[in-house]
Amino acid sequence: GAQKTGTTAIQSFLNMNREPLRKSGIIYPIPPGSEPSHAFLAALISKRKVPEYLRTAFRNDVDKIEAYARRSWRKTKKILAREKAETCVISSEALFHDYSVMELANAKSLFSQISSSPTMISYVRSPADWFLSMILQRVKLPNDLPSIAARSPMAVLKSWAEFDCRLRVRKFDRQNLVGADILKDFSI
């Protein structure tokens, strides 16, 4: 899902509980030394949607970013080949973008390497709720204010609807989450 929809909490939980999840047939394949998400995949899908941390780490060197992303993807696929789990979870806020037809073809090419029938689970919140949450975060961690422009989750979902996958969309609203908890809600 988009930023501020509990994705970091989900990723942290999955990363910290990889062994018990693996025993239950669920794998969260994070290459050693990587972030606890799959943000690197955004760099393989679109050169215009590269996560900020990669642009900073590699000083905007497109070739180095792509090489890192390709290495991380190969390591991820090796983990999947070794584990042979029933369910694989790939997660990153960086994947929640309104991609072009060509970029979606890149995404389909990547994900078809690991699944013939992927499911996309996306948590969304209204642009106003998202913007308020971002402002509150910035009060705690001062930085530039986020732009409210182009924050419609519908544009992103319409883009991903073109991708041949099951799409499960949940409104991020603590009152509507199972047990008012993102982790409980995600696990159903």
Side-chain angles (χ1 to χ4, degrees):
Q3 294 173 316
K4 309 305 299 164
T5 59
T7 48
T8 302
I10 292 168
Q11 292 158 2
S12 295
F13 173 82
L14 292 168
N15 195 44
M16 291 181 341
N17 292 283
R18 282 191 283 173
E19 186 57 27
L21 289 167
R22 185 186 65 72
K23 289 178 180 176
S24 298
I26 301 167
I27 187 160
Y28 187 59
I30 298 293
S34 294
E35 297 262 317
S37 80
H38 300 94
F40 63 86
L41 286 172
L44 297 177
I45 294 171
S46 171
K47 298 211 183 310
R48 64 187 180 97
K49 305 285 188 179
V50 175
E52 182 67 34
Y53 87 94
L54 287 177
R55 284 186 278 148
T56 301
F58 294 103
R59 298 186 178 152
N60 286 319
D61 185 321
V62 177
D63 293 332
K64 287 183 180 178
I65 292 169
E66 186 170 344
Y68 168 79
R70 290 202 182 287
R71 272 193 316 277
S72 297
W73 183 235
R74 277 193 305 273
K75 290 177 184 177
T76 300
K77 291 189 302 182
K78 282 183 182 178
I79 293 168
L80 291 171
R82 182 179 65 237
E83 297 294 334
K84 295 180 176 60
E86 293 173 33
T87 302
C88 166
V89 179
I90 301 291
S91 178
S92 176
E93 299 91 338
L95 298 174
F96 194 80
H97 287 291
D98 53 330
Y99 290 113
S100 70
V101 172
M102 181 64 82
E103 291 165 337
L104 284 172
N106 293 342
K108 189 171 188 171
S109 173
L110 288 170
F111 291 118
S112 69
Q113 296 172 28
I114 62 170
S115 175
S116 59
S117 59
T119 298
M120 179 183 178
I121 301 170
S122 182
Y123 286 89
V124 296
R125 64 191 313 165
S126 76
D129 287 346
W130 173 85
F131 192 70
L132 177 59
S133 181
M134 290 297 285
I135 288 174
L136 292 173
Q137 180 175 328
R138 300 300 160 118
V139 168
K140 293 184 233 176
L141 304 167
N143 206 336
D144 295 332
L145 284 177
S147 169
I148 196 158
R151 294 309 303 175
S152 170
M154 288 308 296
V156 175
L157 294 172
K158 284 180 184 176
S159 167
W160 278 101
E162 299 298 318
F163 186 78
D164 190 19
C165 69
R166 291 175 299 229
L167 189 58
R168 184 177 141 207
V169 180
R170 299 276 297 146
K171 181 180 180 189
F172 182 82
D173 178 347
R174 293 195 192 280
Q175 295 172 346
N176 293 331
L177 298 174
V178 172
D181 181 282
I182 188 69
L183 298 176
K184 288 179 183 175
D185 195 87
F186 179 77
S187 67
I188 60 161

